[in-house]
Amino acid sequence: QVQLEESGGGLVQAGGSLRLSCAFSGGTFITYGVGWFRQAIWKEREFVALLRKAGGSTAYADSVKARFIISSDIGKNSVYLQMNSLKVEDTAVYYCAATTSWLRNPGEAQYSYWGQGTQVTVSS
């Protein structure tokens, strides 16, 4: 059973940076597509970034493109989300999730495994 654990969230001022980590256990991340999602209070969960299966290409939501970078470390069996130039509107609980789907852009329903989430708060 694959388990995901996020870490790295916290409070940061606007313009600052944070790096979120998603540690895999019970499986190797490279066999999954790994996505980052976020949910702000009173809003629906939304897609943020994707590392496609087998260490493939990446994809980003337009709102974070050129500011966020998804990466991975095979040795640590982890996927990361580097968040730069943070904005107040980036405040949310961030989740990593894993999918076995080979779809180029899998929908949220295709993700079978989810972490518990980590809070990111950006102050003005």
Side-chain angles (χ1 to χ4, degrees):
Q1 177 77 3
V2 172
Q3 292 186 316
L4 313 179
E5 183 174 2
E6 303 97 335
S7 61
L11 174 64
V12 64
Q13 285 192 323
S17 298
L18 281 175
R19 189 176 83 152
L20 305 183
S21 300
C22 176
F24 272 62
S25 59
T28 304
F29 79 85
I30 201 166
T31 63
Y32 298 89
V34 181
W36 283 97
F37 293 80
R38 67 186 182 187
Q39 187 168 20
I41 192 166
W42 309 121
K43 294 187 177 180
E44 292 187 356
R45 189 159 55 192
E46 63 176 0
F47 166 78
V48 175
L50 168 66
L51 177 65
R52 294 188 176 98
K53 203 171 177 179
S57 57
T58 58
Y60 298 92
D62 287 344
S63 59
V64 306
K65 209 171 286 184
R67 298 190 298 123
F68 289 12
I69 301 170
I70 190 169
S71 64
S72 61
D73 185 326
I74 293 176
K76 294 183 178 180
N77 202 20
S78 295
V79 176
Y80 305 98
L81 185 68
Q82 177 67 43
M83 306 186 296
N84 301 318
S85 302
L86 281 162
K87 303 176 181 180
V88 171
E89 51 264 42
D90 294 318
T91 295
V93 177
Y94 283 71
Y95 300 89
C96 67
T99 177
T100 57
S101 172
W102 282 102
L103 290 175
R104 181 166 175 79
N105 294 301
E108 194 172 319
Q110 272 78 49
Y111 288 82
S112 302
Y113 306 100
W114 292 81
Q116 82 288 351
T118 186
Q119 176 71 46
V120 171
T121 303
V122 184
S123 63
S124 58

